Amino acid sequence: MPSETLWEIAKAEVEKRGSEGDGLEIGEKSVFFIGSKNGGKTTIILRCLDRDEPPKPTLALEYTYGRRAKGHNIPKDIAHFWELGGGTSLLDLISIPITSDNLRTFSIVLVLDLSKPNDLWPTMENLLQATKSHVDKMIMKLGKTNSKAVSEMRQKIWSNMQKDHPDRELVDPFLIPLVIIGSKYDIFQDFDSEKRKVICKTLRFVAHYYGASLMFTSKSEALLLKVRGVINQLAFGIDKSKSICVDQNKPLFITAGLDSLSQIGSPPIPDNDIGKLHAHSPMDLWKKVYERVFPPKSTNTLKHIKDPARDPQYAEGEVDEMRIQKDQELEQYKRSSSKSWKQIELDS
């Protein structure tokens, strides 16, 4: 008898909610990992789930789950982990795991590869904009049927920042928890100090503006444990850490709401150059300053993405033969169509 698929196991877990634990509620949360291609998202997920296995490339959208016991004879909490592969090439898939039904228990983790600073801003910008756009749509949808829930979400996010915080009117937080993780700190720490300063200050501004927590990690066990603690807080409601490290010579660790624009400072550029950048918002100003130091390498993110249909590890004899046949038919159709149009042009 074939073993159950991951989807069947997940479905069974959900169906058991009504029968486990004498009617006690089972806590369920979802965490969605997005970010740089090969940035270490899978490694972080496996570490959080105590799975000792080598990470495999994520080609599209992948799902797994974890369970955590709350106590004796109490149903286990369930955490759903989603991961978007391909960097910024599969933005349309962002809408699949985020729904108006699970929005109130959903969190986003953005993993950025610190070792590739030229790709960092476009990756961050594209993913955050696409995610925020969809989250906003789901909030509007939820608001039509449950305005109280939306109001509670807003209050919860704004509670991360003290009521007398001087930046309350200057930021625009995600209405669901957001964590930004800078990976491969072991490589980043060897960068020139001025370059590290630009990256650190920029990420601090973006995280603070969007109401996100920010932390750097690497293969270091100590750093991975810190990240695991933060992810467990998102997934299982473990107590949130209040520690903070803003020293650019050390791995950053800043919990949402604990930073400020005055501590971050102005963008690292001479004052007389700021006016020349013609920025239309603070975020645009930081972008222009960052890209002066780290210009984007390429705007074409699709050409670097491997075609899963041609990946040997997914080979299927009969399917591949049919694919080849259909490709040949398509090419023949294109050629015949091209000849037909040319003939029409000649006749006219």
Side-chain angles (χ1 to χ4, degrees):
M1 181 177 178
S3 60
E4 290 182 293
T5 67
L6 194 57
W7 290 103
E8 290 170 340
I9 295 172
K11 181 181 178 182
E13 290 291 345
V14 174
E15 291 174 344
K16 284 164 62 179
R17 281 183 294 179
S19 58
E20 278 194 30
D22 298 324
L24 292 172
E25 181 182 358
I26 299 175
E28 286 196 38
K29 295 180 183 293
S30 299
V31 184
F32 189 16
F33 284 78
I34 58 177
S36 305
K37 185 182 180 185
N38 299 321
K41 299 183 292 296
T42 306
T43 299
I44 294 173
I45 293 173
L46 292 174
R47 186 69 181 83
C48 291
L49 296 175
D50 283 328
R51 294 182 186 171
D52 186 17
E53 56 187 79
K56 298 178 181 178
T58 305
L59 290 172
L61 183 66
E62 295 193 2
Y63 168 84
T64 188
Y65 74 97
R67 303 176 71 188
R68 190 183 190 92
K70 292 187 289 188
H72 185 61
N73 288 333
I74 299 177
K76 293 182 178 180
D77 287 335
I78 300 173
H80 306 281
F81 291 92
W82 296 86
E83 181 185 356
L84 181 70
T88 60
S89 67
L90 302 169
L91 297 179
D92 289 346
L93 297 182
I94 286 175
S95 63
I96 294 176
I98 309 175
T99 69
S100 58
D101 294 328
N102 65 16
L103 201 60
R104 285 171 286 177
T105 57
F106 209 94
S107 302
I108 302 292
V109 177
L110 172 63
V111 181
L112 299 170
D113 187 342
L114 296 174
S115 71
K116 298 177 180 179
N118 297 83
D119 297 332
L120 191 148
W121 187 280
T123 297
M124 175 175 65
E125 181 178 51
N126 288 330
L127 287 168
L128 286 180
Q129 285 182 352
T131 303
K132 192 172 190 302
S133 174
H134 183 67
V135 167
D136 289 345
K137 289 178 183 177
M138 293 301 100
I139 287 174
M140 288 183 63
K141 182 178 179 181
L142 178 62
K144 292 178 180 179
T145 58
N146 194 343
S147 59
K148 181 181 178 182
V150 173
S151 178
E152 290 174 349
M153 289 174 62
R154 294 184 190 278
Q155 291 176 8
K156 184 176 179 181
I157 288 298
W158 279 106
S159 69
N160 291 328
M161 183 176 281
Q162 294 181 354
K163 291 183 178 180
D164 60 350
H165 196 294
D167 301 339
R168 283 183 74 90
E169 302 298 322
L170 304 173
V171 297
D172 184 22
F174 264 57
L175 288 189
I176 59 176
L178 171 65
V179 172
I180 299 176
I181 298 176
S183 64
K184 303 186 182 180
Y185 176 78
D186 50 327
I187 300 174
F188 169 80
Q189 66 183 346
D190 294 328
F191 283 10
D192 174 78
S193 62
E194 286 302 310
K195 290 185 176 181
R196 280 189 283 114
K197 179 181 179 181
V198 172
I199 296 171
C200 287
K201 293 188 69 171
T202 300
L203 287 179
R204 284 180 64 187
F205 172 81
V206 173
H208 184 58
Y209 182 82
Y210 285 123
S213 296
L214 172 66
M215 63 207 62
F216 289 174
T217 190
S218 66
K219 296 178 181 178
S220 159
E221 186 64 21
L223 292 179
L224 284 172
L225 280 174
K226 279 191 171 185
V227 168
R228 180 182 176 181
V230 172
I231 302 304
N232 279 340
Q233 189 277 322
L234 298 176
F236 300 108
I238 308 302
D239 291 341
K240 185 184 297 185
S241 171
K242 293 291 184 181
S243 63
I244 183 170
C245 176
V246 296
D247 186 348
Q248 71 178 49
N249 296 310
K250 298 178 180 179
L252 296 183
F253 190 98
I254 310 168
T255 303
L258 297 186
D259 213 342
S260 68
L261 295 176
S262 61
Q263 293 182 62
I264 297 169
S266 59
I269 186 175
D271 291 341
N272 58 341
D273 285 348
I274 289 182
K276 301 175 183 177
L277 295 178
H278 305 292
H280 56 75
S281 68
M283 185 66 72
D284 190 44
L285 175 61
W286 279 90
K287 175 183 179 179
K288 290 180 183 297
V289 171
Y290 185 88
E291 291 187 341
R292 282 183 64 167
V293 182
F294 302 107
K297 286 184 177 180
S298 172
T299 56
N300 186 357
T301 57
L302 291 176
K303 67 180 182 180
H304 302 296
I305 305 304
K306 191 174 183 180
D307 183 356
R310 304 184 188 281
D311 193 322
Q313 68 174 317
Y314 301 111
E316 290 282 353
E318 294 181 0
V319 175
D320 292 341
E321 288 179 9
M322 183 62 68
R323 168 72 184 265
I324 293 172
Q325 179 182 334
K326 292 299 180 183
D327 285 345
Q328 291 173 344
E329 291 175 359
L330 178 60
E331 287 302 316
Q332 185 177 354
Y333 173 76
K334 287 179 179 178
R335 287 195 295 269
S336 62
S337 297
S338 176
K339 291 178 181 178
S340 298
W341 280 108
K342 288 180 181 178
Q343 187 60 45
I344 292 173
E345 290 174 354
L346 289 173
D347 293 344
S348 60

